[in-house]
Amino acid sequence: MKELPGREGGVLVMQKIPAMPALPSRVLGCYWPVWNGPALSAIPSGYNTIWLFAAVPVGGPPGTTGAVTWSQNRESATQFNIDLSDIRAAGRCVILSVGGANSYIDLSTRTRSDAFTASIEKIHTQLGGFDGVDFDIEGGTLYPSQMVYICEKLKAAFGSNFVITYPPAPWSLADRNLCSTLYKAGVLDLVAPQYYDLEGLFTESSKISNEVNSIESAWLPLVNYNAAKVGLGYGLASVVSETMMFSSFATVWKTLVTKYPSLRGAFCWQATADHAEEWSFETTFRPLIIGD
């Protein structure tokens, strides 16, 4: 157990929270959006990592204070918390994603960073716990030094196993620089570039080979060839503009994992689309990535 400072009646006390599990050694994950789709409890057990999408800035983007808030109306708060607790009790990892498209969060100052961290701790209490934070910050300036500060504060509060993930756009130099900074600071647990919404991925041509080369030349060396810090992001064709066919994505995985056996895994955007396709991504890639 880890002790956290808190206040009761104005008096500083220590609050105990359960130790966090580590990120699975091989990740098969999906993003669970708040707006529609299956109940949290309906996500197949093959998905050992679930990203809750998403906490958004208070007051709307870019946020009035730096704080974020979480809500979902798919089921009662009580039932959601029960489902979340059951998933975590089964050894599956649940990560709170923040931001997303059209929900940029301004974390430019220490004051805003402190407000962000305090809001994460509040949501953690609200939900009865989760295992990490995913920085899906899009559409605005990134502030690497503040992000390092936030990650260090979160890991100090919740333990070193509290997971920090980041799904960058592989074409963004700013995203790559942030990944490098977070890794060098020792606070990044998984970087999984979004290999979708990238023109030409569906053509089954040299574009896919180029993307494999991009991962090898730009992402894995970024983390000193520590492929255990690297995953792949896949978008189902029904919800993204450009993506690979399953067969091509499987080839990418096999090519990379042959060279880098510790490659961490892959995620799917998103659970709603996979549910509509009878969990085709989960059933196709569970045996390939984590085994039966």
Side-chain angles (χ1 to χ4, degrees), residues 72-93:
Q72 60 82 34
N73 57 10
R74 306 263 288 286
E75 54 189 0
S76 71
T78 298
Q79 187 59 54
F80 179 85
N81 286 14
I82 290 171
D83 292 347
L84 178 56
S85 177
D86 289 345
I87 285 171
R88 296 179 71 223
R92 299 160 75 187
C93 186

Side-chain angles (χ1 to χ4, degrees), residues 142-149 174 177-178 181-182:
L142 299 171
Y143 296 92
S145 63
Q146 293 300 327
M147 298 287 287
V148 170
Y149 170 75
N177 289 340
L178 176 60
T181 299
L182 294 177

Side-chain angles (χ1 to χ4, degrees), residues 3-264:
E3 293 186 328
L4 292 179
R7 290 188 180 274
E8 292 181 0
V11 178
L12 188 67
V13 296
M14 301 306 292
Q15 301 170 349
K16 292 184 179 296
I17 63 169
M20 298 293 169
L23 192 68
S25 58
R26 189 78 87 190
V27 169
L28 184 68
C30 66
Y31 278 74
W32 182 88
V34 299
W35 53 82
N36 60 10
L40 195 63
S41 60
I43 296 176
S45 59
Y47 281 126
N48 61 18
T49 305
I50 299 169
W51 281 270
L52 303 178
F53 188 84
V56 296
V58 172
T64 53
T65 65
V68 294
T69 184
W70 161 267
S71 65
Q72 60 82 34
N73 57 10
R74 306 263 288 286
E75 54 189 0
S76 71
T78 298
Q79 187 59 54
F80 179 85
N81 286 14
I82 290 171
D83 292 347
L84 178 56
S85 177
D86 289 345
I87 285 171
R88 296 179 71 223
R92 299 160 75 187
C93 186
V94 179
I95 300 170
L96 179 69
S97 187
V98 300
N102 304 315
S103 289
Y104 169 68
I105 308 166
D106 178 359
L107 298 173
S108 57
T109 67
R110 186 59 53 89
T111 298
R112 295 181 74 89
S113 297
D114 284 337
F116 175 88
T117 305
S119 69
I120 294 296
E121 295 185 6
K122 181 179 179 181
I123 298 170
H124 189 275
T125 300
Q126 171 190 339
L127 299 185
F130 47 81
D131 306 307
V133 166
D134 172 64
F135 289 100
D136 189 15
I137 298 179
E138 305 177 27
T141 303
L142 299 171
Y143 296 92
S145 63
Q146 293 300 327
M147 298 287 287
V148 170
Y149 170 75
I150 289 169
C151 294
E152 289 175 343
K153 283 198 69 175
L154 291 174
K155 285 180 176 288
F158 296 116
S160 60
N161 281 342
F162 192 74
V163 179
I164 301 297
T165 66
Y166 183 47
W171 55 85
S172 167
L173 180 59
D175 285 9
R176 294 187 184 204
N177 289 340
L178 176 60
C179 289
S180 179
T181 299
L182 294 177
Y183 177 78
K184 289 175 182 176
V187 295
L188 181 64
D189 298 295
L190 179 68
V191 50
Q194 299 180 18
Y195 284 100
Y196 49 89
D197 286 336
L198 185 61
E199 185 178 356
L201 279 178
F202 196 71
T203 61
E204 309 302 313
S205 64
S206 60
K207 187 68 175 181
I208 292 171
S209 297
N210 289 341
E211 286 311 309
V212 175
N213 292 335
S214 174
I215 298 170
E216 293 184 16
S217 64
W219 293 105
L220 298 181
L222 171 80
V223 292
N224 299 322
Y225 292 96
N226 184 358
K229 299 278 188 178
V230 180
L232 309 177
Y234 183 87
L236 287 164
S238 60
V239 288
V240 301
S241 59
E242 292 271 350
T243 192
M244 301 181 199
M245 294 180 64
F246 275 11
S247 58
S248 297
F249 191 70
T251 297
V252 169
W253 171 264
K254 291 174 184 177
T255 299
L256 287 172
V257 82
T258 297
K259 188 171 184 179
Y260 304 104
S262 62
L263 192 68
R264 200 59 174 263

